[in-house]
Amino acid sequence: MGVLMSRRQTVERVQKVSLAVSAFKDGLREQPSTRRRAEAGTARQGTLEQEVQEGEEEALAGPSQPEETSASKAAWERLRDGRGVEPEEFDRANRFTPPAFIRPKRELHDDEPPDISLEQREQILNDEMCEICEVWTAESLFPCRICHRVYHDGCLRRMGYLQKDSAVEVTEAAHTETGWSCYYCDNLNLLLTEEEMYSLMETLRNCKIIPGVCLNLDDFLHYKHQVHKQQFERTMPEAQEEQAALQFNALDPDKKGHIEWQDFLSHESIQLLQKIRPQNALLRLLTPKERERARAAFLALDQDNDGFIGEGECRQARHTWFRKHQKEMLSCNVSISHVGPISEGSPASSRNGKSPEKILPATKQEETSIDWPEFLRENVAYILAARPNSAALHLQPLA
């Protein structure tokens, strides 16, 4: 923590020096001067700018890192500020200014068990006005399947969050059971605090990961080996390497041979949250919509209504949480990846009049029983990992 705070203080000093440089430049423009004074001012200006550059390199890259290009530095800055990594050629003409994301802060009571009742249902209410323009137009608002925010498609386009190739997909998904995650919820990296983000950035830098670049299987395994060696000072076991390869496949559902940067960043963010924060702290990140979906999933699995489910059923819930397509959802015993009520093809629905497929009673008796609080703790990381719209599985459930 001390190292992280010292870096933040360094950044603040750099910002102050940068302001001094700007003020100095303005003074030179306003004051008529001789050639000698101009040369002296230029020399002084060069000294200040050199100090700013050295301070930025120390704060963002570290003294042992190789020199970075201006584009790479800008990418790291956007990543640190929670704005993601945008292409340099991205045209924002006639578009809204992107929001200034504020990273969360840990509270003293975060590690205490939250009170999430199984019997007491929560009322889900979406906002009535668009999050961006704050105007009410009920028929054209897109609700987020994770939080309470709603958006106009036009506002999303002007923000740059809705491109032409994805407009139809978002339009179709936003009002279905599959749902659509807004740009706040779609970015798992925004769940990290400033200290956690600095820790992740330091790990990525030490492993020579370049922001915005796709990773193939060799790059991904090499990164995992380096992280394991830095953390445990020994070579990663073969079993863990096989698990890492399975995670790569889960992040590459289309079998393109590489994983997108945003999917890799979301995977690393949820991995870091698992390592640093206790499960009780992660439970406090769940939204009312996510808690309601978890209730529906547990009640669907608890068919004898005794308040317990089997360990195998709990593992089943982890897998079905990531079902993001309707045809996949209907093929599962229970679906918990949608926005609204349980789908008609799931065991929790009685509207179609069909009896759900029953699980053998012996399975529940032979396995360890899990109650509602334990079910939440075991599944919270997977619930959070299912937030992004991407078809990739950012946290591969264990078999």
Side-chain angles (χ1 to χ4, degrees):
M1 180 67 72
V3 175
L4 296 178
M5 292 302 295
S6 63
R7 290 192 175 190
R8 291 177 60 188
Q9 292 171 357
T10 304
V11 172
E12 292 176 358
R13 290 198 298 269
V14 169
Q15 293 174 345
K16 292 179 181 178
V17 174
S18 179
L19 293 175
V21 171
S22 301
F24 189 82
K25 287 181 179 179
D26 294 338
L28 288 177
R29 294 192 190 98
E30 295 174 359
Q31 295 179 1
S33 60
T34 63
R35 181 177 180 181
R36 182 175 182 181
R37 290 181 62 188
E39 291 175 352
T42 303
R44 175 59 178 164
Q45 175 184 331
T47 303
L48 288 173
E49 290 180 340
Q50 182 179 3
E51 184 176 352
V52 171
Q53 182 177 2
E54 292 175 353
E56 289 178 346
E57 292 175 353
E58 178 183 355
L60 300 176
S64 61
Q65 298 295 330
E67 186 177 357
E68 295 178 327
T69 63
S70 58
S72 179
K73 288 181 179 179
W76 282 112
E77 290 176 357
R78 286 194 296 269
L79 180 61
R80 177 197 62 202
D81 296 337
R83 288 178 290 167
V85 179
E86 302 165 359
E88 293 299 322
E89 66 275 8
F90 189 72
D91 182 17
R92 285 199 173 275
N94 300 322
R95 287 182 174 158
F96 293 140
T97 302
F101 295 115
I102 300 177
R103 292 195 174 274
K105 296 182 179 180
R106 294 293 309 277
E107 303 293 340
L108 294 177
H109 65 280
D110 279 356
D111 297 345
E112 299 176 2
D115 183 16
I116 304 178
S117 172
L118 175 61
E119 294 77 15
Q120 185 176 359
R121 310 298 294 269
E122 299 182 58
Q123 186 177 8
I124 305 299
L125 295 176
N126 289 325
D127 290 343
E128 296 183 353
M129 296 188 296
C130 174
E131 177 70 16
I132 298 173
C133 69
E134 298 184 351
V135 174
W136 180 81
T137 310
E139 295 181 357
S140 61
L141 289 174
F142 291 166
C144 175
R145 68 184 176 93
I146 304 299
C147 67
H148 55 82
R149 302 180 182 92
V150 294
Y151 301 85
H152 291 122
D153 58 343
C155 293
L156 291 172
R157 289 190 181 93
R158 293 191 65 185
M159 289 288 292
Y161 293 113
L162 189 62
Q163 304 299 323
K164 292 182 179 179
D165 55 350
S166 62
V168 176
E169 181 181 352
V170 171
T171 303
E172 294 177 350
H175 295 287
T176 65
E177 292 180 342
T178 301
W180 163 81
S181 297
C182 69
Y183 52 83
Y184 287 100
C185 302
D186 183 61
N187 188 356
L188 295 180
N189 185 253
L190 294 179
L191 295 176
L192 302 183
T193 63
E194 290 186 15
E195 292 79 9
E196 292 166 346
M197 187 60 219
Y198 273 109
S199 175
L200 178 58
M201 288 177 61
E202 184 176 2
T203 300
L204 297 177
R205 285 182 177 277
N206 291 338
C207 296
K208 305 299 188 295
I209 297 296
I210 303 175
V213 176
C214 300
L215 282 75
N216 58 32
L217 179 58
D218 291 337
D219 297 332
F220 186 76
L221 292 180
H222 179 68
Y223 167 78
K224 289 295 184 180
H225 273 282
Q226 285 185 298
V227 171
H228 187 276
K229 191 170 184 179
Q230 291 176 7
Q231 184 175 0
F232 301 103
E233 298 183 352
R234 63 175 183 269
T235 305
M236 186 169 66
E238 184 176 351
Q240 285 188 248
E241 181 177 354
E242 293 177 356
Q243 186 63 34
L246 291 176
Q247 179 63 70
F248 179 88
N249 293 332
L251 291 170
D252 181 26
D254 298 329
K255 309 302 178 186
K256 295 178 293 187
H258 66 268
I259 55 178
E260 302 295 333
W261 163 255
Q262 193 60 41
D263 289 326
F264 171 75
L265 182 62
S266 293
H267 165 69
E268 289 302 307
S269 299
I270 197 67
Q271 286 276 86
L272 183 62
L273 285 174
Q274 274 192 303
K275 294 177 182 178
I276 293 181
R277 300 196 199 179
Q279 291 173 321
N280 288 332
L282 294 181
L283 286 172
R284 295 184 179 276
L285 299 177
L286 297 180
T287 65
K289 289 183 180 180
E290 289 174 317
R291 293 194 293 266
E292 276 299 294
R293 289 197 294 272
R295 286 189 184 92
F298 185 87
L299 293 174
L301 293 170
D302 182 22
Q303 297 185 3
D304 54 6
N305 298 321
D306 65 348
F308 293 90
I309 63 172
E311 187 176 1
E313 294 170 315
C314 184
R315 290 195 300 268
Q316 173 189 340
R318 298 174 199 170
H319 286 270
T320 56
W321 192 268
F322 295 97
R323 304 292 183 179
K324 301 191 178 183
H325 302 288
Q326 185 68 16
K327 61 181 181 180
E328 293 178 344
M329 289 161 55
L330 294 178
S331 66
C332 302
N333 286 334
V334 59
S335 173
I336 54 179
S337 63
H338 50 271
V339 176
I342 292 294
S343 62
E344 293 185 358
S346 67
S349 174
S350 59
R351 289 175 294 177
N352 55 9
K354 298 179 181 179
S355 60
E357 180 182 352
K358 295 184 178 181
I359 301 176
L360 294 178
T363 304
K364 195 169 183 178
Q365 295 176 359
E366 294 171 358
E367 292 181 329
T368 303
S369 295
I370 295 177
D371 59 6
W372 165 244
E374 182 66 18
F375 174 81
L376 279 180
R377 289 192 295 268
E378 291 294 325
N379 284 278
V380 61
Y382 299 98
I383 296 174
L384 294 173
R387 286 185 176 186
N389 295 307
S390 169
L393 271 65
H394 301 96
L395 194 63
Q396 171 68 26
L398 298 176

